[in-house]
Amino acid sequence: MFAVVVAAAALGWGAVPASAHNNAVGSSPASDAMVTEQPGLFSITTSDLILDLGGTGSGTAMIVTGPASAPLFYGDGCATVSGATIETAAQLGAAGQYTVIWQTVSTDGHSISAKFTFDWKPAPGQSLADGAATAPSCGTETDDATAEATADATATADAGASAASDSPLSAVAWIGGALGAVLLAVAVTLLVLRHKRRR
């Protein structure tokens, strides 16, 4: 991480004003909305372009979890980038309040993350997903035995579950695991581009 800080300083990132960072300007479903039909796709639109490095270690991810009364995870955690928008596919389960947790990297190299909630009240005839007891990690499959063990542990650890729901990234610490490498890659890319401009 020290190397990332040094590279960022060398590229003058410290001079970038806070106002230059992306921020969320819209979502689908909308925050606090009442949803009655499966959305299929969940998205966040930000105020500027998002850095698209591609791959599962890109620093961009989205997780859909709920209902709040007995949270499970839906979708594979993978997210695609399109301009200023990131999106993921997922099918919802039982009715209740759901949370979408997201993280991405803005074009200035800064990681941005947040969460929003909405209420799911499926209309008759809606197909419901089973959900998983453990947070998905994009590119890997959930181990059923691990999921079952985690579900049992979660049922007897209400305090821990409550603390996790209060933090946007606590349930998805894996998202930031590769962030140092992502920022280092960004720093190297910008350094190469500056070198090319000078030539």
Side-chain angles (χ1 to χ4, degrees), residues 25-116:
V25 296
S27 67
S28 179
S31 178
D32 299 323
M34 174 67 76
V35 178
T36 59
E37 296 186 358
Q38 287 283 4
L41 285 177
F42 299 80
S43 67
I44 287 289
T45 300
T46 68
S47 56
D48 203 347
L49 296 178
I50 296 169
L51 193 62
D52 185 5
L53 298 179
T56 58
S58 65
T60 294
M62 292 181 74
I63 280 186
V64 181
T65 180
S69 58
L72 293 173
F73 298 92
Y74 300 86
D76 60 7
C78 297
T80 57
V81 175
S82 177
T85 300
I86 62 173
E87 64 180 21
T88 191
Q91 295 293 308
L92 302 175
Q97 185 184 71
Y98 279 70
T99 300
V100 178
I101 307 167
W102 60 273
Q103 176 170 305
T104 191
V105 180
S106 60
T107 51
D108 63 5
H110 287 82
S111 173
I112 54 175
S113 59
K115 66 178 179 178
F116 69 90

Side-chain angles (χ1 to χ4, degrees), residues 111-137:
S111 173
I112 54 175
S113 59
K115 66 178 179 178
F116 69 90
T117 61
F118 63 91
D119 291 317
W120 168 232
K121 187 177 181 180
Q126 294 294 302
S127 178
L128 304 180
D130 293 332
T134 55
S137 182

Side-chain angles (χ1 to χ4, degrees), residues 98-195:
Y98 279 70
T99 300
V100 178
I101 307 167
W102 60 273
Q103 176 170 305
T104 191
V105 180
S106 60
T107 51
D108 63 5
H110 287 82
S111 173
I112 54 175
S113 59
K115 66 178 179 178
F116 69 90
T117 61
F118 63 91
D119 291 317
W120 168 232
K121 187 177 181 180
Q126 294 294 302
S127 178
L128 304 180
D130 293 332
T134 55
S137 182
C138 182
T140 63
E141 296 183 359
T142 301
D143 180 80
D144 291 338
T146 302
E148 184 175 351
T150 303
D152 293 340
T154 302
T156 58
D158 294 337
S162 176
S165 66
D166 291 336
S167 172
L169 298 181
S170 59
V172 287
W174 58 269
I175 293 181
L179 189 56
V182 171
L183 294 181
L184 183 58
V186 172
V188 171
T189 301
L190 293 177
L191 187 60
V192 170
L193 291 175
R194 287 192 176 191
H195 179 69

Side-chain angles (χ1 to χ4, degrees), residues 2 131 193 199:
F2 177 73
L193 291 175
R199 295 179 58 183

